[in-house]
Amino acid sequence: MQKSAIQKAVNILKRGGLVAIPTETVYGLAADATNDRAVAHIFETKQRPTFNPLICHVCDTAMAESLVQVSREVSNLMMKFWPGPLTFVLPKKTPSIVSELVSAGLDTIAVRMPRHPGTREIIKELGHPVAAPSANISGKISPTSAKHVEQELGDVIDLVLDGGDCIEGLESTIITIRDGKIVILRPGTITKEMLESASSSEVVHLSTSGNGGITAPGQLTSHYAPEAKVRLNATSKSDNEYLLGFAFIKGDKSLSEKGDLREAAGNLFKSLKEADSSGADTIAVAPIPGVGIGVAINDRLRRAAAPRDQSEIPI
Ligand code: TXA
Ligand code: MG
């Protein structure tokens, strides 16, 4: 990313504008996290319910530590995985410079240091964290290229920065620490196994953590919804279907012919968009093994296939 593009983005953010920024996971719709009006504008632009909190993106661990309480365990995980696709939900330090809207009134803030150097440079120059949800209309497929953002939000935001295609392709893994355990609130490409090998603490997925409650609003609902219906675990294609294959199931297009889950994660959102634009009634998707990154892929697919009931909470 050119220095002039970075400076332009910083100037817009300083004025309270919205900029789509590249990250290694998906494109984010960024605003200065300390500016109430700018943050409110994110919610309006995405048509996102205001009770669904946003992630604060930081340029270094010092900025994170100024916002939230960082234990030794968390600090160790930050050292191992940052910059990268891991978000921590941590107790908020008060008083806070971050807009109340960012954390939707909760006493925690989600923090993450993205890997894209241009984006970290923007945050550093701004001198404040940026609040950035995925740069899509709430409930739709998350964008993994600047072109996708342009198509959906190009007319209504101040700038779309093109930093190339997103390498990881799925949103960050979100974790919190509860009763000494690492709880995965949203699976991503940093897997349970990777967290286990980086820490001596037990690592659990939210669904198996024993208390049942959903603390990451919008986790188990319809999301990533294409226009077409979605049918999972398809081994063959019916009439009016577009089949997304995997491994030995070829399909109209394969998420990964060699059955590589990392590659499939990287291809998922753009393939869903492509399948959708084919005009098929239904997008059928081959079975994806629920191991490693497959857990995160299946999480997104289940939500893409979920009933699109208006009473549900999309993110
Ligand atoms: O990879 C990513 O995380 C991308 C890029 C742009 O960084 N961002 C992203 O943001 O996926 P978004 O807003 O689409 O998803 C953020 C998720 C939501 O499910 C939200 O409910 C949860 O994080 N979240 C944010 N703050 C939280 C908090 N304080 N407690 C619990 N969940 C929180
Ligand atoms: Mg999102």
Side-chain angles (χ1 to χ4, degrees), residues 218-249:
Q219 287 301 300
L220 297 173
T221 53
S222 167
H223 193 29
Y224 315 106
E227 298 300 321
K229 293 193 278 291
V230 177
R231 181 169 73 89
L232 304 181
N233 297 315
T235 46
S236 64
K237 162 174 151 165
S238 313
D239 286 349
N240 288 324
E241 282 192 340
Y242 184 105
L243 178 61
L244 282 178
F246 180 79
F248 55 89
I249 296 175

mmCIF file of all heavy atoms in Angstrom, residues 218-249:
data_model
loop_
_atom_site.group_PDB
_atom_site.id
_atom_site.type_symbol
_atom_site.label_atom_id
_atom_site.label_comp_id
_atom_site.label_asym_id
_atom_site.label_seq_id
_atom_site.Cartn_x
_atom_site.Cartn_y
_atom_site.Cartn_z
ATOM 1 N N GLY A 218 -24.822 -12.730 18.360
ATOM 2 C CA GLY A 218 -24.884 -13.007 16.928
ATOM 3 C C GLY A 218 -24.069 -14.213 16.484
ATOM 4 O O GLY A 218 -23.765 -14.363 15.316
ATOM 5 N N GLN A 219 -23.723 -15.091 17.414
ATOM 6 C CA GLN A 219 -22.866 -16.206 17.018
ATOM 7 C C GLN A 219 -23.602 -17.366 16.340
ATOM 8 O O GLN A 219 -23.039 -18.012 15.493
ATOM 9 C CB GLN A 219 -22.102 -16.746 18.238
ATOM 10 C CG GLN A 219 -20.992 -15.816 18.678
ATOM 11 C CD GLN A 219 -19.976 -15.578 17.576
ATOM 12 O OE1 GLN A 219 -19.356 -16.495 17.088
ATOM 13 N NE2 GLN A 219 -19.829 -14.342 17.157
ATOM 14 N N LEU A 220 -24.819 -17.651 16.728
ATOM 15 C CA LEU A 220 -25.436 -18.891 16.239
ATOM 16 C C LEU A 220 -26.628 -18.632 15.319
ATOM 17 O O LEU A 220 -27.625 -19.313 15.370
ATOM 18 C CB LEU A 220 -25.898 -19.747 17.426
ATOM 19 C CG LEU A 220 -24.792 -20.240 18.343
ATOM 20 C CD1 LEU A 220 -25.388 -20.917 19.575
ATOM 21 C CD2 LEU A 220 -23.882 -21.210 17.609
ATOM 22 N N THR A 221 -26.503 -17.582 14.504
ATOM 23 C CA THR A 221 -27.676 -17.152 13.754
ATOM 24 C C THR A 221 -27.395 -17.140 12.258
ATOM 25 O O THR A 221 -26.289 -17.412 11.830
ATOM 26 C CB THR A 221 -28.058 -15.742 14.212
ATOM 27 O OG1 THR A 221 -26.905 -14.931 14.094
ATOM 28 C CG2 THR A 221 -28.503 -15.741 15.649
ATOM 29 N N SER A 222 -28.435 -16.812 11.501
ATOM 30 C CA SER A 222 -28.252 -16.714 10.055
ATOM 31 C C SER A 222 -27.235 -15.619 9.729
ATOM 32 O O SER A 222 -27.310 -14.510 10.225
ATOM 33 C CB SER A 222 -29.591 -16.352 9.399
ATOM 34 O OG SER A 222 -29.373 -15.958 8.058
ATOM 35 N N HIS A 223 -26.276 -15.960 8.913
ATOM 36 C CA HIS A 223 -25.257 -15.002 8.522
ATOM 37 C C HIS A 223 -24.611 -15.520 7.241
ATOM 38 O O HIS A 223 -24.862 -16.646 6.855
ATOM 39 C CB HIS A 223 -24.240 -14.862 9.654
ATOM 40 C CG HIS A 223 -23.325 -13.678 9.466
ATOM 41 N ND1 HIS A 223 -23.702 -12.549 8.810
ATOM 42 C CD2 HIS A 223 -22.056 -13.471 9.853
ATOM 43 C CE1 HIS A 223 -22.708 -11.689 8.811
ATOM 44 N NE2 HIS A 223 -21.673 -12.226 9.426
ATOM 45 N N TYR A 224 -23.783 -14.686 6.614
ATOM 46 C CA TYR A 224 -23.099 -15.110 5.394
ATOM 47 C C TYR A 224 -24.102 -15.603 4.370
ATOM 48 O O TYR A 224 -23.837 -16.533 3.620
ATOM 49 C CB TYR A 224 -22.086 -16.226 5.675
ATOM 50 C CG TYR A 224 -21.236 -15.963 6.883
ATOM 51 C CD1 TYR A 224 -21.448 -16.641 8.062
ATOM 52 C CD2 TYR A 224 -20.241 -14.997 6.830
ATOM 53 C CE1 TYR A 224 -20.677 -16.372 9.179
ATOM 54 C CE2 TYR A 224 -19.474 -14.721 7.941
ATOM 55 C CZ TYR A 224 -19.694 -15.408 9.107
ATOM 56 O OH TYR A 224 -18.952 -15.147 10.203
ATOM 57 N N ALA A 225 -25.313 -15.003 4.369
ATOM 58 C CA ALA A 225 -26.381 -15.557 3.551
ATOM 59 C C ALA A 225 -26.286 -15.088 2.108
ATOM 60 O O ALA A 225 -26.389 -13.906 1.823
ATOM 61 C CB ALA A 225 -27.731 -15.146 4.134
ATOM 62 N N PRO A 226 -26.095 -16.033 1.165
ATOM 63 C CA PRO A 226 -26.207 -15.668 -0.245
ATOM 64 C C PRO A 226 -27.685 -15.489 -0.602
ATOM 65 O O PRO A 226 -28.555 -15.782 0.219
ATOM 66 C CB PRO A 226 -25.613 -16.872 -0.976
ATOM 67 C CG PRO A 226 -25.397 -17.931 0.030
ATOM 68 C CD PRO A 226 -25.828 -17.435 1.371
ATOM 69 N N GLU A 227 -27.970 -15.032 -1.810
ATOM 70 C CA GLU A 227 -29.367 -14.934 -2.256
ATOM 71 C C GLU A 227 -29.965 -16.336 -2.371
ATOM 72 O O GLU A 227 -31.104 -16.576 -2.013
ATOM 73 C CB GLU A 227 -29.460 -14.242 -3.626
ATOM 74 C CG GLU A 227 -28.945 -12.800 -3.651
ATOM 75 C CD GLU A 227 -29.699 -11.889 -2.705
ATOM 76 O OE1 GLU A 227 -30.931 -12.050 -2.600
ATOM 77 O OE2 GLU A 227 -29.059 -11.029 -2.057
ATOM 78 N N ALA A 228 -29.164 -17.256 -2.890
ATOM 79 C CA ALA A 228 -29.632 -18.637 -3.083
ATOM 80 C C ALA A 228 -29.751 -19.352 -1.741
ATOM 81 O O ALA A 228 -29.149 -18.943 -0.753
ATOM 82 C CB ALA A 228 -28.640 -19.381 -3.970
ATOM 83 N N LYS A 229 -30.517 -20.449 -1.736
ATOM 84 C CA LYS A 229 -30.557 -21.301 -0.545
ATOM 85 C C LYS A 229 -29.226 -22.062 -0.472
ATOM 86 O O LYS A 229 -28.509 -22.173 -1.470
ATOM 87 C CB LYS A 229 -31.713 -22.303 -0.647
ATOM 88 C CG LYS A 229 -33.097 -21.644 -0.606
ATOM 89 C CD LYS A 229 -34.191 -22.670 -0.388
ATOM 90 C CE LYS A 229 -34.601 -23.385 -1.659
ATOM 91 N NZ LYS A 229 -35.302 -22.579 -2.664
ATOM 92 N N VAL A 230 -28.927 -22.620 0.673
ATOM 93 C CA VAL A 230 -27.686 -23.379 0.813
ATOM 94 C C VAL A 230 -28.017 -24.777 1.343
ATOM 95 O O VAL A 230 -28.771 -24.921 2.301
ATOM 96 C CB VAL A 230 -26.705 -22.657 1.775
ATOM 97 C CG1 VAL A 230 -25.439 -23.487 1.983
ATOM 98 C CG2 VAL A 230 -26.341 -21.263 1.244
ATOM 99 N N ARG A 231 -27.472 -25.809 0.680
ATOM 100 C CA ARG A 231 -27.674 -27.197 1.118
ATOM 101 C C ARG A 231 -26.311 -27.780 1.464
ATOM 102 O O ARG A 231 -25.392 -27.749 0.628
ATOM 103 C CB ARG A 231 -28.333 -28.005 -0.014
ATOM 104 C CG ARG A 231 -28.616 -29.454 0.347
ATOM 105 C CD ARG A 231 -29.507 -30.124 -0.698
ATOM 106 N NE ARG A 231 -28.817 -30.412 -1.957
ATOM 107 C CZ ARG A 231 -28.159 -31.551 -2.204
ATOM 108 N NH1 ARG A 231 -28.085 -32.506 -1.282
ATOM 109 N NH2 ARG A 231 -27.569 -31.742 -3.376
ATOM 110 N N LEU A 232 -26.188 -28.299 2.671
ATOM 111 C CA LEU A 232 -24.878 -28.790 3.124
ATOM 112 C C LEU A 232 -24.721 -30.295 2.910
ATOM 113 O O LEU A 232 -25.686 -31.001 2.657
ATOM 114 C CB LEU A 232 -24.697 -28.453 4.610
ATOM 115 C CG LEU A 232 -24.848 -26.965 4.962
ATOM 116 C CD1 LEU A 232 -24.615 -26.736 6.455
ATOM 117 C CD2 LEU A 232 -23.888 -26.114 4.139
ATOM 118 N N ASN A 233 -23.497 -30.767 3.027
ATOM 119 C CA ASN A 233 -23.161 -32.193 2.940
ATOM 120 C C ASN A 233 -23.680 -32.848 1.671
ATOM 121 O O ASN A 233 -24.198 -33.964 1.693
ATOM 122 C CB ASN A 233 -23.688 -32.942 4.171
ATOM 123 C CG ASN A 233 -23.027 -32.424 5.427
ATOM 124 O OD1 ASN A 233 -21.810 -32.226 5.449
ATOM 125 N ND2 ASN A 233 -23.801 -32.162 6.462
ATOM 126 N N ALA A 234 -23.575 -32.127 0.558
ATOM 127 C CA ALA A 234 -24.079 -32.632 -0.722
ATOM 128 C C ALA A 234 -23.013 -33.491 -1.390
ATOM 129 O O ALA A 234 -21.856 -33.070 -1.519
ATOM 130 C CB ALA A 234 -24.451 -31.456 -1.617
ATOM 131 N N THR A 235 -23.405 -34.687 -1.812
ATOM 132 C CA THR A 235 -22.437 -35.533 -2.501
ATOM 133 C C THR A 235 -22.669 -35.534 -4.009
ATOM 134 O O THR A 235 -21.866 -36.036 -4.772
ATOM 135 C CB THR A 235 -22.499 -36.971 -1.958
ATOM 136 O OG1 THR A 235 -23.869 -37.349 -1.877
ATOM 137 C CG2 THR A 235 -21.879 -37.062 -0.572
ATOM 138 N N SER A 236 -23.821 -34.984 -4.428
ATOM 139 C CA SER A 236 -24.058 -34.822 -5.859
ATOM 140 C C SER A 236 -24.988 -33.630 -6.047
ATOM 141 O O SER A 236 -25.514 -33.092 -5.070
ATOM 142 C CB SER A 236 -24.683 -36.084 -6.445
ATOM 143 O OG SER A 236 -25.952 -36.264 -5.854
ATOM 144 N N LYS A 237 -25.191 -33.292 -7.334
ATOM 145 C CA LYS A 237 -25.905 -32.052 -7.620
ATOM 146 C C LYS A 237 -27.282 -32.353 -8.190
ATOM 147 O O LYS A 237 -27.430 -33.219 -9.035
ATOM 148 C CB LYS A 237 -25.004 -31.309 -8.614
ATOM 149 C CG LYS A 237 -25.574 -30.236 -9.403
ATOM 150 C CD LYS A 237 -24.451 -29.562 -10.192
ATOM 151 C CE LYS A 237 -25.027 -29.006 -11.467
ATOM 152 N NZ LYS A 237 -24.150 -28.062 -12.135
ATOM 153 N N SER A 238 -28.307 -31.631 -7.711
ATOM 154 C CA SER A 238 -29.654 -31.771 -8.281
ATOM 155 C C SER A 238 -29.894 -30.639 -9.280
ATOM 156 O O SER A 238 -29.045 -29.760 -9.441
ATOM 157 C CB SER A 238 -30.719 -31.689 -7.189
ATOM 158 O OG SER A 238 -30.367 -32.502 -6.113
ATOM 159 N N ASP A 239 -31.100 -30.642 -9.888
ATOM 160 C CA ASP A 239 -31.449 -29.583 -10.851
ATOM 161 C C ASP A 239 -31.369 -28.216 -10.190
ATOM 162 O O ASP A 239 -31.710 -28.066 -9.016
ATOM 163 C CB ASP A 239 -32.896 -29.783 -11.350
ATOM 164 C CG ASP A 239 -32.955 -30.948 -12.316
ATOM 165 O OD1 ASP A 239 -31.873 -31.424 -12.731
ATOM 166 O OD2 ASP A 239 -34.075 -31.393 -12.617
ATOM 167 N N ASN A 240 -30.978 -27.233 -10.954
ATOM 168 C CA ASN A 240 -30.917 -25.844 -10.464
ATOM 169 C C ASN A 240 -29.998 -25.640 -9.272
ATOM 170 O O ASN A 240 -30.199 -24.739 -8.470
ATOM 171 C CB ASN A 240 -32.310 -25.313 -10.117
ATOM 172 C CG ASN A 240 -33.110 -25.063 -11.369
ATOM 173 O OD1 ASN A 240 -32.532 -24.633 -12.375
ATOM 174 N ND2 ASN A 240 -34.389 -25.356 -11.322
ATOM 175 N N GLU A 241 -29.039 -26.542 -9.138
ATOM 176 C CA GLU A 241 -28.061 -26.361 -8.058
ATOM 177 C C GLU A 241 -26.676 -26.053 -8.623
ATOM 178 O O GLU A 241 -26.336 -26.468 -9.733
ATOM 179 C CB GLU A 241 -27.967 -27.629 -7.187
ATOM 180 C CG GLU A 241 -29.107 -27.760 -6.207
ATOM 181 C CD GLU A 241 -28.867 -28.849 -5.168
ATOM 182 O OE1 GLU A 241 -28.014 -29.752 -5.400
ATOM 183 O OE2 GLU A 241 -29.527 -28.811 -4.127
ATOM 184 N N TYR A 242 -25.920 -25.330 -7.838
ATOM 185 C CA TYR A 242 -24.498 -25.093 -8.134
ATOM 186 C C TYR A 242 -23.760 -25.834 -7.035
ATOM 187 O O TYR A 242 -24.004 -25.611 -5.854
ATOM 188 C CB TYR A 242 -24.214 -23.599 -8.065
ATOM 189 C CG TYR A 242 -22.808 -23.192 -8.448
ATOM 190 C CD1 TYR A 242 -22.539 -22.590 -9.684
ATOM 191 C CD2 TYR A 242 -21.742 -23.365 -7.565
ATOM 192 C CE1 TYR A 242 -21.258 -22.179 -10.030
ATOM 193 C CE2 TYR A 242 -20.449 -22.960 -7.907
ATOM 194 C CZ TYR A 242 -20.221 -22.372 -9.139
ATOM 195 O OH TYR A 242 -18.945 -21.967 -9.482
ATOM 196 N N LEU A 243 -22.878 -26.763 -7.413
ATOM 197 C CA LEU A 243 -22.205 -27.567 -6.382
ATOM 198 C C LEU A 243 -20.789 -27.063 -6.117
ATOM 199 O O LEU A 243 -19.958 -26.979 -7.026
ATOM 200 C CB LEU A 243 -22.174 -29.039 -6.820
ATOM 201 C CG LEU A 243 -21.461 -30.032 -5.883
ATOM 202 C CD1 LEU A 243 -22.114 -30.079 -4.505
ATOM 203 C CD2 LEU A 243 -21.432 -31.443 -6.491
ATOM 204 N N LEU A 244 -20.547 -26.711 -4.864
ATOM 205 C CA LEU A 244 -19.184 -26.378 -4.441
ATOM 206 C C LEU A 244 -18.543 -27.660 -3.930
ATOM 207 O O LEU A 244 -18.986 -28.225 -2.921
ATOM 208 C CB LEU A 244 -19.211 -25.336 -3.321
ATOM 209 C CG LEU A 244 -19.462 -23.883 -3.713
ATOM 210 C CD1 LEU A 244 -19.493 -22.991 -2.474
ATOM 211 C CD2 LEU A 244 -18.387 -23.381 -4.675
ATOM 212 N N GLY A 245 -17.523 -28.110 -4.641
ATOM 213 C CA GLY A 245 -16.901 -29.376 -4.301
ATOM 214 C C GLY A 245 -15.796 -29.233 -3.275
ATOM 215 O O GLY A 245 -15.404 -28.128 -2.885
ATOM 216 N N PHE A 246 -15.309 -30.393 -2.848
ATOM 217 C CA PHE A 246 -14.148 -30.452 -1.953
ATOM 218 C C PHE A 246 -13.539 -31.832 -2.128
ATOM 219 O O PHE A 246 -14.265 -32.827 -2.160
ATOM 220 C CB PHE A 246 -14.570 -30.246 -0.492
ATOM 221 C CG PHE A 246 -13.427 -30.291 0.480
ATOM 222 C CD1 PHE A 246 -12.587 -29.199 0.643
ATOM 223 C CD2 PHE A 246 -13.167 -31.445 1.233
ATOM 224 C CE1 PHE A 246 -11.518 -29.235 1.540
ATOM 225 C CE2 PHE A 246 -12.105 -31.489 2.125
ATOM 226 C CZ PHE A 246 -11.284 -30.381 2.279
ATOM 227 N N ALA A 247 -12.220 -31.870 -2.259
ATOM 228 C CA ALA A 247 -11.489 -33.135 -2.419
ATOM 229 C C ALA A 247 -12.058 -33.930 -3.607
ATOM 230 O O ALA A 247 -12.187 -33.375 -4.703
ATOM 231 C CB ALA A 247 -11.510 -33.924 -1.120
ATOM 232 N N PHE A 248 -12.487 -35.197 -3.361
ATOM 233 C CA PHE A 248 -12.883 -36.046 -4.495
ATOM 234 C C PHE A 248 -14.255 -35.674 -5.075
ATOM 235 O O PHE A 248 -14.629 -36.155 -6.133
ATOM 236 C CB PHE A 248 -12.842 -37.536 -4.101
ATOM 237 C CG PHE A 248 -13.671 -37.833 -2.892
ATOM 238 C CD1 PHE A 248 -15.008 -38.167 -3.019
ATOM 239 C CD2 PHE A 248 -13.099 -37.773 -1.621
ATOM 240 C CE1 PHE A 248 -15.777 -38.423 -1.903
ATOM 241 C CE2 PHE A 248 -13.864 -38.032 -0.501
ATOM 242 C CZ PHE A 248 -15.218 -38.348 -0.642
ATOM 243 N N ILE A 249 -15.031 -34.831 -4.392
ATOM 244 C CA ILE A 249 -16.287 -34.353 -4.980
ATOM 245 C C ILE A 249 -15.951 -33.097 -5.791
ATOM 246 O O ILE A 249 -15.565 -32.067 -5.235
ATOM 247 C CB ILE A 249 -17.336 -34.060 -3.894
ATOM 248 C CG1 ILE A 249 -17.677 -35.373 -3.188
ATOM 249 C CG2 ILE A 249 -18.592 -33.416 -4.496
ATOM 250 C CD1 ILE A 249 -18.603 -35.247 -2.014
#
